[in-house]
Amino acid sequence: MKEKFMQRAIELSRLGMTNDEGGPFGAVVVRGDEVIAEGNNKVTSENDPTMHAEVTAIRNACKSLGTFDLSGCEIYTSCEPCLMCLGAIYWARLDKIYYANTKEDAAEIGFDDKFIYEELDLPKEKRKLKMEQLLHTEAKKVFKEWEEKEERIKY
């Protein structure tokens, strides 16, 4: 079954590419032996830099199951996830990642995330993307309200 699901992720990567929806990336979210949702890269067709295959599949799976918690599910992706997708996978609480191509394979065809890894190792003040903290006290009050809210949905 694993190979079948990965084959589908690879097919989705080709379909999205040939349909000019985005880069050659596909993903499938599976629970047990059932495909819950699929996705392919749609960055260029949707003008959305977050529409990577994994994020698209996760969004579709959450809609399909009516939950933000995908515990009990696994993701098959045609390429090792980038940092954004890896973060989304952790937040969605998927149990396991299966991938085909590596991040080095992606870099060879122009999809190189190395600069992001390098940036994260730098102190905030040395990064290319400048950061400035504003209104910390006011924002912290909202966090305190959240902490005290009895009916909050934890995630």
Side-chain angles (χ1 to χ4, degrees):
M1 289 301 280
K2 291 179 187 178
E3 288 79 10
K4 174 184 158 195
F5 297 137
M6 184 58 74
Q7 187 58 49
R8 181 61 183 154
I10 294 167
E11 288 172 14
L12 289 166
S13 74
R14 182 175 285 114
L15 281 171
M17 178 189 65
T18 57
N19 291 336
D20 294 324
E21 294 177 322
F25 304 97
V28 179
V29 174
V30 173
R31 184 169 58 190
D33 291 339
E34 178 186 4
V35 172
I36 302 299
E38 300 178 335
N40 60 279
N41 183 294
K42 295 184 181 207
V43 169
T44 57
S45 61
E46 296 292 327
N47 294 315
D48 183 344
T50 68
M51 293 283 295
H52 289 199
E54 297 91 338
V55 172
T56 302
I58 288 168
R59 288 174 180 165
N60 292 338
C62 289
K63 282 181 188 172
S64 175
L65 295 175
T67 182
F68 54 81
D69 185 341
L70 297 178
S71 298
C73 296
E74 300 174 332
I75 191 164
Y76 290 77
T77 178
S78 65
C79 188
E80 185 176 358
C82 72
L83 284 171
M84 177 185 70
C85 293
L86 188 59
I89 290 165
Y90 272 105
W91 278 112
R93 294 180 178 84
L94 288 152
D95 292 353
K96 189 169 184 176
I97 302 167
Y98 296 93
Y99 66 94
N101 288 317
T102 66
K103 63 184 178 183
E104 292 79 15
D105 295 329
E108 287 176 11
I109 63 164
F111 295 94
D112 192 356
D113 299 335
K114 183 179 175 187
F115 77 97
I116 298 173
Y117 289 96
E118 290 170 350
E119 282 283 300
L120 292 176
D121 285 339
L122 295 173
K124 290 178 189 170
E125 62 275 2
K126 298 226 184 221
R127 295 179 185 166
K128 288 182 182 99
L129 184 60
K130 301 301 175 201
M131 297 175 70
E132 181 178 345
Q133 186 175 21
L134 297 172
L135 301 177
H136 180 239
T137 303
E138 288 84 348
K140 190 78 174 185
K141 289 176 188 174
V142 179
F143 273 17
K144 183 68 175 164
E145 291 172 27
W146 170 259
E147 189 176 47
E148 294 170 353
K149 183 177 173 163
E150 290 184 27
E151 300 85 30
R152 74 178 185 256
I153 299 172
K154 296 180 183 180
Y155 60 98

